[in-house]
């Protein structure tokens, strides 16, 4: 369908916005004649001085549309105004690197992995929308990161999802988690992308601020790398993909850049609504356009929608742009120009194409049944050589005339005040090493069973089996393995490994070390599979940057991550900052989530985590690295004492590198049959997971060297891994470990009998372990299956009563009337220039509740 | 031998089905939903995915694609057709197979390595297996619960048209644990689990899926040799 949209003619009542005069939108011409008109810049999140700067830049007051655009582009989410000054370190401290083809500032970093192939990967947050509307929030989080990957010229090939929720047994977790998981599955599965890993963490600190991060990876021929510059005067600006609706208006400024309050429930209209089928068609059509060489520039539409895409593509090229908004295909003809510019409707891309290629581009769109519409053209820079202007009209009214760079690049930058949290000294003094410990074998046994059944250590199958991990046929390893491992090239066996990790408790105790620990764990998870770690992406989840204590945590974490990446030689290729993860005065634990990409020359040499079924004798089990008594911030302290205090384990990145080099070499010579990194839950957890993977028992004899069995089993010292080595190779492996300077302690054998035995302490039959390990999530969420199944399900979304479906057991069902009024009042929070919410409320709520399933006319159900 | 793999908008496992056909020794021919021309292929695979976004009903729109019109005719004429997951749903919508696939009873999408028992080796796609042979093949679906009225189910059982059953756990609530069925002639098979995901050591839980693709090559070889190979050795 490449037809032009029906033009919106005349004005319905819903078009009359408070600061527009009857009969038309707020135009540039009108802005000049009404210089002193009061504008709602504060309501849009702009500070007085920021508003003044806008007036200086324009030499007049902004129009309603311009004001909305500045408020969005200068929001924390888009402008990184609080984080910029710190993030520079990633560039300044970047290690010398020959692989990186694109880095920070692009839609995603691109890393070359062979002469002709590159991969691009990035992790991003969708925290706030996922709290407000779990299913759509999480689903569009997947859709958004996948379009970032697509915009680089890559075919997306997998996704991963690091997730953090409040207490596992809190009623609101029963609302959020099933919806988030169903949303990730519902979108990713329908897109045909295997979900190969991630994290699921529970902690009361995330109550009311769940963290839904989404990572995607794609592969591209080096020659197909795409750019976002709107280059080439006279080139056509094409909007490709879904039609533009009223969903997600003000998403980034309202949701992502503000702290939650009791009105959060009323912000659902700010959450985008996803259509994975459209995104699948968008992916296929974009790839066909790339291969045919029809694209001069491309940018995805995500947060800030058209506003962001138009200003960034023009600013990147230094050109100007002329756009006719009435050409944009709309879901609702009554949308105002400001709404069209602010909409965050999903599944859209902005293309820059030469006029000659336009027919071919439209033909490809036609083939895939995707809307493609020429909405503007690239215009020259100013006569004096300065960048061109972005001029946007709507039905002959010029509503925007701005220098695009002033929105995209010259946003405000703040060096926010920084102060170490007042309670940190006391917190660090309260060590877990002094807590009461199990004193005999029976108590150790009881502790192991209690730990493996705890929400953070238990079996996550209830979640991961809702994700397709097989599609595309290149998944070599997926969760619960340490890393997701993908085959990239069927001919050569070239492959990649990906792991994403974070530990908010460690970061709370020491953000600098916490960030380095997250990096070390992700690095180790990749390394133990035998891959060579080469690059990093990060998602930095923090509280309000306006709180000096939070800003200190952020600065320390960034410094730690930048220093760590410099030492490991793995550059940060891109990522995302999520501030305002805070409800009222309570900020979440600082949670830097780090993704590490590794490369295999031949992926068939990957090392899995599970002990192998015995063919002859059992394999010998070695513990690599050194175990110190490090229990502060550990899972043991949390589960058995509800304790958080002291200092996190020490990180020695040189040791991590030696361990990585050893594992890479060992996988090349085939010394190792299984390897599992030690992290949360320590050695005990690693043993349990390695045994249960293929139901293979183990007989363990811990060294009698003064370190107690308890410390060996539950300390979370970094730089350690568990490996199984087949008989006959053990001597060679021990020699290899010595050569690489990695401490290597034999601690037992894998056995035929299905028991985990720790000599002189305890033995647990594997069925008993499995029961304790795997029953937790079904017990907690099994009962919510129906809710999870219903969320976002078209036939149910269409039913207003299920507006409460995603609230699950947490809240009583709300009547249609109630949801309508909540949507109405939400407009104040949502639609920027719409100060009196009532007018636009009806269509907004219809757009959200009924989406397009029913095609219900605007103003339909929600008024009754 | 040439095995056609149809790509609908929203097909996801089409590349995997083509790979499986190649590994089995066939030439994989990609077919486009909008073209009625089947390019003279010897057999057709309708792959897994979400054709047309599963809008209206899974497979309900795909059934009307120009390629499907040709495939329906050819199938009635004996062309071997394998419908995997969404392909199975399309075959039911096209009335080449009885019954329907509905929302999993537990209402979750479920992806796991599933144990199956082969119940019928008399079809073009299972003649290489032995009766009662147990397989491990990935299952991954949200609407894989096979339902039909009792008379239809009894008939399927009586005529040996239940091709495979779930064992050690029914992943979606399918009636009588049915995982795969065939038509009267045995040339059209619909299966919910994904054989194309179990054809390589590196990426699959087993190599059990390969048997479906080698079976059809046997059947075709037998047919072209003039004999009818019942298989089953």
């Amino acid at each position: 369908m490449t037809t032009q949209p029906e033009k919106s003619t005349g004005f319905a009542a819903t078009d009359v916005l408070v600061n527009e005069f009857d009969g038309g939108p707020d135009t540039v011409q009108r802005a000049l004649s009404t210089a002193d008109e009061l504008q709602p810049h504060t309501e849009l999140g702009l500070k007085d001085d920021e508003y003044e700067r806008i007036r200086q830049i324009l030499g007049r007051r902004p129009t309603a549309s311009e004001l909305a655009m500045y408020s969005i582009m200068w929001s924390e989410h888009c402008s990184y105004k609080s984080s910029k000054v710190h993030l520079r370190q990633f560039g300044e401290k970047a290690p010398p690197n020959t692989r990186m083809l694109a880095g920070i500032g692009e839609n995603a970093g691109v890393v070359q992995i062979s002469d002709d192939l590159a991969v691009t990967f990035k992790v991003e947050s969708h925290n706030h929308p996922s709290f407000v509307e779990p299913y759509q929030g999480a689903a569009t989080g997947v859709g958004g990161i996948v379009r970032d990957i697509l915009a680089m010229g890559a075919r997306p090939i997998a996704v991963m999802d690091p997730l953090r929720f409040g207490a596992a047994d809190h009623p609101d977790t029963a609302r959020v988690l099933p919806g988030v998981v169903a949303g990730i599955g519902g979108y990713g599965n329908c897109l045909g992308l295997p979900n190969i890993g991630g994290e699921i963490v529970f902690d009361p600190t995330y109550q009311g601020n769940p963290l839904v991060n989404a990572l995607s990876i794609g592969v591209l021929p080096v020659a197909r790398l795409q750019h976002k510059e709107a280059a080439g005067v006279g080139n056509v600006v094409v909007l490709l993909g879904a039609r533009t609706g009223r969903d997600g208006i003000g998403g980034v400024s309202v949701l992502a850049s503000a702290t939650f309050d009791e009105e959060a429930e009323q912000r659902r209209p700010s959450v985008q609504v996803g259509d994975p089928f459209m995104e699948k068609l968008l992916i296929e059509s974009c790839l066909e356009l790339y291969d045919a060489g029809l694209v001069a520039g491309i940018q995805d539409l995500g947060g800030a929608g058209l506003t962001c895409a138009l200003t960034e593509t023009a600013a990147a090229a230094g050109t100007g742009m002329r756009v006719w908004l009435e050409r944009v295909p709309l879901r609702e003809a009554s949308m105002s120009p400001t709404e069209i510019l602010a909409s965050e409707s999903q599944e859209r891309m902005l293309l820059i194409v030469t006029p000659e290629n336009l027919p071919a581009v439209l033909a490809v769109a036609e083939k895939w049944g995707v809307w493609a519409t020429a909405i503007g053209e690239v215009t020259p820079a100013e006569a004096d050589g300065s960048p061109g202007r972005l001029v946007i009209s709507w039905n002959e009214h010029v509503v925007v005339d701005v220098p695009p760079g002033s929105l995209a690049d010259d946003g405000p930058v703040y060096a926010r005040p920084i102060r170490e949290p007042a309670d940190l000294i006391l917190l660090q003094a309260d060590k877990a090493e002094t807590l009461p410990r199990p004193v005999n074998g029976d108590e150790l046994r009881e502790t192991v069973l209690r730990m493996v059944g705890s929400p953070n250590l238990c079996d996550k199958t209830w979640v991961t089996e809702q994700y397709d991990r097989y599609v595309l046929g290149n998944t070599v390893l997926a969760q619960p393995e340490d890393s997701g491992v993908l085959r990239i090239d069927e001919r050569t066996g070239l492959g990649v490994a990906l792991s994403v990790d974070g530990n908010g408790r460690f970061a709370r105790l020491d953000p600098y070390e916490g960030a380095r620990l997250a990096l070390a764990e992700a690095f180790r998870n990749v390394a133990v599979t035998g891959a060579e770690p080469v690059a990093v992406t990060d998602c930095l989840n923090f509280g309000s940057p306006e709180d000096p204590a939070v800003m200190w945590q952020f600065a320390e974490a960034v410094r730690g991550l930048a220093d760590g990446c410099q030492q490991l030689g793995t550059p940060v290729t891109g990522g995302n900052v999520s501030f305002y993860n805070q409800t009222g005065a309570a900020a979440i634990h600082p949670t830097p989530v780090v993704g590490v990409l590794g490369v295999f020359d031949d992926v068939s040499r990957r090392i899995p985590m599970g002990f192998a079924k015995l063919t002859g004798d059992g394999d010998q089990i070695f513990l690599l690295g050194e175990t110190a008594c490090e229990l502060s911030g550990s899972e043991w302290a949390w589960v058995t004492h509800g304790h958080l205090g002291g200092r996190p384990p020490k990180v020695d990145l040189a040791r991590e590198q030696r361990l990585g080099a050893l594992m890479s070499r060992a996988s090349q010579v085939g010394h190792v049959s299984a390897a599992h990194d030690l992290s949360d839950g320590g050695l005990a957890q690693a043993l349990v997971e390695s045994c249960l993977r293929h139901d293979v028992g183990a007989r363990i004899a811990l060294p009698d060297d003064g370190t107690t069995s308890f410390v060996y089993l539950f300390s979370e010292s970094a730089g350690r891994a568990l490996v199984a080595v087949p008989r006959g190779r053990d001597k060679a492996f021990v020699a290899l470990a010595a050569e690489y300077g990695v401490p290597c302690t034999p601690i037992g054998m894998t056995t035929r009998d299905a028991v985990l035995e720790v000599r002189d302490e305890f033995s647990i039959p594997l069925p008993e372990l499995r029961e304790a390990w795997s029953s937790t999530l079904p017990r907690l969420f099994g009962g919510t299956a129906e809710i999870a199944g219903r969320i976002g399900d078209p036939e149910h979304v269409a039913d207003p009563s299920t507006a409460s479906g995603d609230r699950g057991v947490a809240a009583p069902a709300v009547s249609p009337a109630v949801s309508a009024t909540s949507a109405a009042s939400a407009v104040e929070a949502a639609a920027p220039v719409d100060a009196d919410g009532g007018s636009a409320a009806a269509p907004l709520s219809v757009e959200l509740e009924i989406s397009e399933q029913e095609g219900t006319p605007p103003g339909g159900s929600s008024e009754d | 031998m040439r095995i056609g793999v149809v790509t609908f908008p929203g097909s996801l496992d089409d590349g995997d089905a083509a790979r499986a056909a190649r590994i089995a020794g066939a030439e994989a021919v990609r077919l486009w939903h909008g073209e009625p021309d089947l390019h003279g292929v010897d057999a057709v695979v309708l792959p897994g995915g979400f054709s047309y976004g599963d809008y209206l009903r899974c497979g309900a729109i795909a059934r009307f694609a120009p390629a499907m019109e040709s495939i329906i005719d050819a199938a009635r004429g004996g062309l071997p057709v394998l419908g995997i997951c969404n392909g199975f749903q399309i075959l039911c919508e096209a009335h080449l197979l009885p019954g329907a696939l509905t929302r999993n009873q537990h209402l979750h999408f479920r992806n796991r390595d599933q144990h199956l028992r082969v119940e019928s080796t008399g079809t073009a796609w299972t003649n290489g297996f032995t009766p009662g042979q147990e397989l491990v093949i990935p299952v991954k679906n949200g609407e894989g619960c096979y339902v039909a009225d009792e008379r239809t189910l009894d008939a399927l059982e009586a005529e040996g048209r239940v091709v495979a059953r779930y064992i050690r756990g029914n992943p979606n609530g399918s009636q009588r644990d049915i995982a795969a069925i065939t038509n009267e002639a045995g040339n059209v098979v619909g299966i919910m689990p994904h054989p194309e995901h179990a054809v390589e050591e590196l990426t699959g839980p087993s190599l059990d899926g390969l048997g479906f693709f080698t079976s059809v090559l046997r059947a075709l070889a037998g047919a072209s040799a003039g004999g009818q190979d019942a298989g089953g050795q």
Side-chain angles (χ1 to χ4, degrees), chain B residues 170-183:
Chain B
N170 178 331
N172 46 34
S174 288
Q175 290 179 335
R176 307 194 189 183
D177 298 332
I178 287 174
I181 59 172
T182 185
N183 62 345

Side-chain angles (χ1 to χ4, degrees), chain A residues 348-379:
Chain A
R348 299 180 298 164
M349 304 286 281
L350 192 77
L351 308 182
I352 309 298
V353 304
T354 64
E356 314 84 82
N357 285 338
L358 183 58
V361 169
L362 297 184
V364 170
E366 178 97 53
K367 171 187 171 185
W368 288 101
V370 176
W371 289 72
T373 313
I375 63 165
E377 71 178 42
V378 178
T379 56

Side-chain angles (χ1 to χ4, degrees), chain A residues 275 465 468-470 789, chain B residues 55 103 110-111 113 140 200:
Chain A
D275 175 358
E465 77 176 4
D468 181 348
R469 66 180 177 280
Y470 279 108
Chain B
Y55 291 145
R103 194 75 182 273
R110 181 161 289 167
N111 176 7
D113 298 339
K140 45 168 209 179
E200 292 181 288

Side-chain angles (χ1 to χ4, degrees), chain A residues 708-731:
Chain A
T708 65
S709 299
F710 167 77
V711 169
Y712 262 115
L713 288 170
F714 294 107
S715 167
E716 294 186 9
S717 297
R720 299 183 303 159
L722 186 68
V723 297
V725 178
R727 277 297 173 81
R729 289 186 174 270
D730 44 354
K731 286 187 179 53

Side-chain angles (χ1 to χ4, degrees), chain B residues 150-170:
Chain B
E150 287 300 310
R151 251 183 41 255
T152 306
L153 293 169
D154 292 341
L156 286 172
E157 306 258 15
E159 298 162 24
R161 289 166 53 194
V162 173
V163 173
R165 263 187 242 274
Y166 301 114
I167 53 174
R168 292 177 227 167
N170 178 331

